[in-house]
Structure formats: structure tokens, C-alpha cells
Amino acid sequence: TEWFPRVLKFTFVITHYAESTTHLELLERTMRSLFAQSDPDWSAVVIDDASPLQASFAMLERLRDRAPDRIFLERTLVSGGAGAARNIAIRRAAALGADVVLLNDNDDLSHPERLARTKAAFLRNRGLDFLYTGLRPIDAEDRDIPDAETRLDILEIMEALRADPPEGASVFAPMAAETGWLIIPSTAALKTSLALEQRFPGGFASEDNH
């Protein structure tokens, strides 16, 4: 049997932790970027990782009510960090039948063509397990952040992506030996089965490196 069904289900996985109303505003912008996708055939699992801000989950419920058939909420009782929260959300996405999960942090926007191009790539290449994209730093007003003002770790990723980003069946070998860290979670999409097998580490270290 082939891995691909005739119709694939793509689910965004969004982790959220709010300590201030600013974090709520960022999440709302993130969700708007999903509603702005050129391909409307998506669902999303949003997990609130025990946010200390009481208004957080109420706002999530309001967002869910905009599309209750597409947005699904989870909430942890104790914060375990972004990696552990992603693992919970991925399991929920799998239970909902997701074939592919698109990771998205709560302060990042997905480009309007992200889903459409991700879907096209997985349909075009049946052996594709993991896909990553470029990124563009913007500020809270959606203005581009120049290289000179971009965080050094993000700038390093951008420069490697501009040069010759590795791709293919052994993609992680050149990443480890030559380019270094090239992916932030919000640029990654992968088969749900792979996401379940290769879980994120818990805790509050830099789980992005995983």
C-alpha cells in the first residue's frame, strides 16, 4: 500500500504560552495568517502550555469559535516547555487524522502560500518526510528587519539558506557537518508518523535544535 491517501490532511501545530497581553496579540496575528492561507483546507491544534495569564484560554476559545470545525484546543495543567507542548499537540493532530503537521510558533506568521506549496511538495514527492522553508524576519508592524538588526542565530540560518541549503535523502548529515542549524520550528512540516516517532525533548532548553 502507498503512504499517500487520495486526499491528504494538513494540520498546523501551534504552541502558546502567555505572560502578557502582548503574547495574546502575537497569537492573534499568527492565527490571522492561517485564515489568510490561499489554500483554506487546513486544521490547527493550538496548545496553551499552562499560561499564567488567565485571559489566555478565554481568548483561545474565542479564536476557536471562529472555526470550531478546524481549530482544536488543548491546555496543560503544568508548563513543560515548548517541546513537550508540541508533542502533545502532535498526538492530538494524529488523533484527528493529520497526515502532515506544519509547526508554527505563536509569534510567527505563516506566509499565505505556505500550505499550498507544502501540500504541492508532498504530493509531488511521495518519499518526502520532512520539509523546511526560508524565513523573513519582520517586526510587530510587519516591516522587514534588516540583516544588521537581525539576531545573529537567525542571520546565520538565513545566510546558509541563501547559499546552498542541503536537501535530499541524507539532509541531516551536511547540516551537522557543514551548515549547522538551518531550521526553526515555524519553517518545518513533516509527516505526522515521523513527528510521533522523533519527539521533541521536554524542558526549557533550546529544543529548536532538535
Side-chain angles (χ1 to χ4, degrees), residues 7 37 45 79 108 204 206:
V7 177
Q37 292 297 302
V45 174
S79 177
D108 293 330
F204 298 91
S206 182

Side-chain angles (χ1 to χ4, degrees), residues 24 26 37 49-50 61 72 74 86 95 106 115 123 135 141 146-147 150 159 169 179 184 204 208-209:
L24 299 184
L26 289 170
Q37 292 297 302
D49 191 29
E61 290 178 325
F72 304 90
E74 291 277 349
R86 285 195 199 101
N106 69 328
L115 177 59
L123 289 171
L135 57 92
E141 304 299 326
D147 285 0
T150 298
E159 289 176 343
T179 63
I184 64 171
F204 298 91
D208 292 6
N209 286 295

